[in-house]
C-alpha cells in the first residue's frame, strides 16, 4: 500500500480547482488533518458544470488574446451516465433541484456539487475569482515545497505563497483540439469548436458538418438538426465508405472523415460525397494544458499525454508533493510507467489514448486509500449504459431496463446519513 503524506504532522496544501475533483480532494485532505487552500478562478464551485451563455471571442479558441470562457456546457446538455453512477460514495447524487430524471441536466449536477461543498464546509477554504499564475519548486535544489503565485481578479490582489504540496485539479476543457483539414485556410465558411456551442437557433437554415464521434458530437448534431437545413457528422473512426442517414431524422447523416475542403465552400468526404457547407464544428476534445506549472521538464505533455505519471497521478521525480497520497520509490514508479507505455506501444495504441481500464484503475486507487472496491451494481450499470448508448442514442437516457440495479444502488445509498428519495 502506498504511504500517504506523513500523518504525524499537518501539511499546507494548495488545491487548484473547485470542480468535482478539487472539491473531493479538499475534503479528503482535511479529513487527514491537512490545511488546504482551494484556488478557483470562477465565482462559484462546479468547474465544467457551470453553464454560461457567453462564448469566446474566437469561435475556434486558438487566439491567445481571446476572452477565455471556462465552460463547455451547452444549454440542452444532460449527463450521459445515470445519476446513481456519478455521485461520491458517501454523498449520492439523488434528486436536488427539481430534475428527477436519471440522466439529469447540467444544472442538477451543479446543484449537487454546491450541496457537497456546503455539507463538508469546503467553501470556507476556497478563494473564489482567484487565478493561479505560476506553480514552481520553492527552491532550486528542491525541498519538496512549492511556490504558488496567484491573482485575485476583482480586488487585483496578488499573492506569492509557499505550500508543502500542490494538487492540480484544474480540468482540461479549455484548450480545444482541432482536426487537420486539407484546404481549410482558403475555405470561406465558419469554423468553430464545440467549446463555443450553446444553443441550436443560430444554425437555422444552415448546412453544418460536425467532426467527431464523441458524446458532444452525438448530442449537438441532434440538437442542431431541429433547426439546421442539413447536419453531417464526420468521424475519423468511421469506415471510408460510411454514409448513413440517421433513423428518425430527415436531415442528419453520418459520414466518413473529411477528405478536403475548397474555396467555393464545398466539403469532400472520404466516401466520395461533396456538399456545400456553411459551418464546420470541431467536436474533437481538448488538450491537457497547464501553463502555470513549472517542473523543469519532470512533467510534460506529449501527444496529449501528461507524463511520466505513476498510475496517472504521480510524477515520480516530484512525488508526493504533487499529490496527497505518497507512493513507492522513484525507481519503482519509473519501472511501472515504462512497462505500461511499452505495452501500449507494442499494441500500436497512440500516446493520446494512455488510459488504464476504468474499474481496474478505480479499484487500485480505492485499495491505496483503504476503501472498498467499486460496487458490482455500479460496474454493471456503467457497462449497460454504454451498450444502450450505442444501440439507442436517441432514447437511452429515458428508457432503460436495469431497474434491479437502481434498487441495489438505493439500498446502498440508504446506508449513508443523507436522506435518499427515489
Amino acid at each position: 500500500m502506498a504511504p500517504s503524506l506523513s500523518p504525524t504532522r499537518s501539511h499546507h496544501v494548495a488545491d487548484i480547482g473547485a470542480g468535482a475533483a478539487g472539491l473531493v480532494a479538499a475534503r479528503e485532505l482535511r479529513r487527514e488533518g491537512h490545511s488546504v487552500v482551494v484556488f478557483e478562478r470562477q465565482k462559484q464551485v462546479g468547474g465544467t458544470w457551470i453553464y454560461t451563455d457567453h462564448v469566446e471571442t474566437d469561435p475556434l479558441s486558438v487566439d491567445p488574446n481571446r476572452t477565455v470562457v471556462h465552460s463547455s456546457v451547452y444549454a440542452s446538455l444532460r449527463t450521459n451516465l445515470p445519476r446513481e453512477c456519478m455521485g461520491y460514495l458517501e454523498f449520492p447524487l439523488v434528486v436536488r433541484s427539481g430534475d428527477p430524471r436519471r440522466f439529469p441536466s447540467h444544472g442538477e449536477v451543479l446543484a449537487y456539487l454546491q450541496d457537497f461543498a456546503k455539507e463538508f464546509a469546503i467553501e470556507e477554504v476556497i478563494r473564489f475569482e482567484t487565478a493561479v499564475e505560476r506553480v514552481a519548486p520553492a527552491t532550486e535544489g528542491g525541498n519538496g515545497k512549492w511556490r504558488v503565485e496567484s491573482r485575485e481578479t476583482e480586488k487585483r490582489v496578488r499573492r506569492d505563497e509557499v505550500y508543502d504540496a500542490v494538487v492540480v485539479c484544474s480540468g482540461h476543457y479549455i484548450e480545444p483540439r482541432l482536426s487537420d483539414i486539407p484546404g481549410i485556410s482558403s475555405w470561406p465558411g465558419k469554423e468553430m469548436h464545440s467549446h463555443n456551442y450553446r444553443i441550436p437557433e443560430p444554425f437555422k437554415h444552415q448546412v453544418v458538418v460536425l467532426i467527431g464521434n464523441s458524446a458532444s458530437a452525438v448530442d449537438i448534431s441532434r440538437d442542431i438538426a431541429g433547426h439546421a437545413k442539413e447536419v453531417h457528422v464526420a468521424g475519423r473512426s468511421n469506415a471510408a465508405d460510411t454514409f448513413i442517414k440517421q433513423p428518425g431524422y430527415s436531415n442528419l447523416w453520418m459520414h466518413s472523415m473529411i477528405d478536403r475542403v475548397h474555396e467555393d465552400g464545398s466539403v469532400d468526404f472520404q466516401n466520395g460525397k461533396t456538399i456545400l457547407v456553411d459551418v464546420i464544428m470541431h467536436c474533437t476534445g481538448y488538450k491537457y494544458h497547464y501553463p502555470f506549472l513549472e517542473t523543469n521538464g519532470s512533467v510534460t505533455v506529449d501527444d496529449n499525454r501528461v507524463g511520466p505519471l505513476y498510475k496517472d497521478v504521480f510524477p515520480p521525480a516530484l512525488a508526493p508533493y504533487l499529490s496527497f497520497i505518497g507512493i513507492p520509490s522513484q525507481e519503482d514508479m519509473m519501472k511501472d510507467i515504462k512497462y505500461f507505455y511499452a505495452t501500449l506501444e507494442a499494441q500500436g495504441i497512440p500516446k493520446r489514448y494512455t488510459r488504464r481500464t476504468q474499474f481496474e484503475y478505480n479499484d487500485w486507487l480505492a485499495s491505496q486509500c483503504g476503501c472498498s472496491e467499486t460496487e458490482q451494481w455500479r460496474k454493471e450499470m456503467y457497462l449497460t449504459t454504454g451498450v444502450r448508448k450505442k444501440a439507442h442514442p436517441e432514447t437511452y437516457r429515458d428508457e432503460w431496463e436495469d431497474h434491479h440495479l437502481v434498487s441495489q444502488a438505493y439500498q446502498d445509498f440508504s446506508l449513508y446519513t443523507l436522506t435518499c428519495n427515489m
Side-chain angles (χ1 to χ4, degrees):
M1 186 177 190
S4 63
L5 285 171
S6 173
T8 59
R9 71 181 183 89
S10 174
H11 294 269
H12 192 39
V13 184
D15 181 357
I16 303 175
L23 291 175
V24 76
R27 184 190 70 169
E28 295 304 311
L29 285 165
R30 297 179 80 197
R31 279 181 166 180
E32 294 296 317
H34 304 297
S35 66
V36 182
V37 174
V38 181
F39 295 85
E40 174 52 54
R41 65 168 60 245
Q42 302 196 75
K43 297 179 180 180
Q44 58 181 316
V45 304
T48 193
W49 292 100
I50 299 173
Y51 175 79
T52 174
D53 56 8
H54 294 130
V55 295
E56 297 188 356
T57 50
D58 173 14
L60 274 178
S61 298
V62 294
D63 183 353
N65 299 314
R66 72 189 188 278
T67 300
V68 177
V69 175
H70 296 273
S71 175
S72 300
V73 173
Y74 38 94
S76 64
L77 185 142
R78 292 172 63 186
T79 66
N80 60 3
L81 284 173
R83 63 168 70 236
E84 298 86 11
C85 282
M86 294 182 63
Y88 303 119
L89 180 63
E90 299 174 9
F91 198 78
L93 204 174
V94 295
V95 178
R96 281 181 158 72
S97 67
D99 184 351
R101 295 174 295 182
R102 283 192 71 201
F103 294 76
S105 67
H106 53 81
E108 178 81 352
V109 181
L110 178 60
Y112 166 76
L113 293 173
Q114 292 170 337
D115 286 349
F116 179 84
K118 290 173 184 171
E119 177 74 15
F120 297 100
I122 300 170
E123 289 183 331
E124 66 187 35
V125 298
I126 301 176
R127 293 180 187 169
F128 290 107
E129 297 184 272
T130 301
V132 173
E133 298 187 329
R134 182 172 179 261
V135 173
T139 61
E140 287 188 13
N143 59 358
K145 294 185 181 294
W146 291 86
R147 182 172 300 281
V148 177
E149 298 176 14
S150 63
R151 176 174 54 85
E152 193 172 338
T153 54
E154 289 297 316
K155 297 180 181 178
R156 301 181 184 277
V157 174
R158 290 183 178 274
R159 292 186 176 90
D160 186 342
E161 303 165 302
V162 174
Y163 289 83
D164 297 314
V166 174
V167 183
V168 180
C169 303
S170 55
H172 64 283
Y173 294 100
I174 296 175
E175 293 292 322
R177 290 171 60 90
L178 302 174
S179 288
D180 293 325
I181 305 174
I184 197 65
S185 61
S186 57
W187 185 72
K190 177 183 178 179
E191 261 194 294
M192 64 180 293
H193 191 276
S194 59
H195 177 69
N196 294 304
Y197 175 76
R198 296 294 182 271
I199 55 176
E201 285 78 8
F203 301 90
K204 188 174 182 179
H205 303 315
Q206 294 188 323
V207 177
V208 183
V209 170
L210 294 88
I211 303 174
N213 282 327
S214 65
S216 62
V218 173
D219 282 353
I220 295 173
S221 64
R222 286 154 175 77
D223 209 19
I224 290 176
H227 296 265
K229 180 181 178 181
E230 296 177 10
V231 180
H232 302 267
V233 182
R236 190 175 301 279
S237 60
N238 294 339
D241 60 350
T242 299
F243 182 60
I244 304 171
K245 195 170 194 177
Q246 297 301 288
Y249 295 89
S250 61
N251 63 341
L252 176 58
W253 291 267
M254 183 70 68
H255 291 259
S256 52
M257 188 52 188
I258 293 174
D259 187 50
R260 67 174 299 108
V261 296
H262 303 276
E263 292 182 9
D264 64 356
S266 62
V267 173
D268 296 342
F269 295 89
Q270 292 176 356
N271 59 17
K273 303 293 182 181
T274 298
I275 299 167
L276 283 173
V277 174
D278 299 299
V279 181
I280 293 177
M281 184 186 302
H282 298 255
C283 301
T284 44
Y286 298 83
K287 301 174 183 176
Y288 288 98
H289 187 61
Y290 306 106
F292 56 84
L293 186 59
E294 297 179 11
T295 65
N296 298 319
S298 294
V299 179
T300 61
V301 180
D302 181 14
D303 190 21
N304 216 34
R305 180 173 74 190
V306 184
L309 295 181
Y310 176 70
K311 302 299 185 182
D312 298 326
V313 178
F314 305 106
L318 301 171
Y321 305 108
L322 276 182
S323 177
F324 58 87
I325 297 178
I327 44 176
S329 70
Q330 180 173 332
E331 182 181 353
D332 289 341
M333 289 187 288
M334 286 303 302
K335 191 179 300 183
D336 179 88
I337 293 167
K338 289 177 181 178
Y339 175 77
F340 181 50
Y341 288 176
T343 301
L344 294 179
E345 290 172 9
Q347 295 173 353
I349 299 174
K351 293 177 182 177
R352 59 184 172 275
Y353 298 127
T354 301
R355 302 290 186 277
R356 296 176 187 270
T357 303
Q358 184 73 52
F359 295 124
E360 177 188 28
Y361 176 67
N362 290 351
D363 289 344
W364 180 88
L365 286 176
S367 71
Q368 300 304 297
C369 302
C371 298
S372 57
E373 293 186 351
T374 306
E375 309 95 324
Q376 189 59 35
W377 64 258
R378 198 184 297 262
K379 294 179 181 179
E380 291 183 24
M381 189 180 289
Y382 179 93
L383 296 172
T384 298
T385 300
V387 172
R388 288 193 58 78
K389 189 188 308 179
K390 289 183 179 180
H392 307 284
E394 318 295 337
T395 61
Y396 78 94
R397 289 183 173 96
D398 299 304
E399 298 176 6
W400 56 86
E401 300 173 352
D402 60 347
H403 302 285
H404 64 294
L405 298 177
V406 177
S407 296
Q408 292 176 36
Y410 278 89
Q411 286 177 13
D412 279 1
F413 294 168
S414 68
L415 300 175
Y416 305 114
T417 56
L418 182 67
T419 300
C420 299
N421 298 313
M422 290 187 68

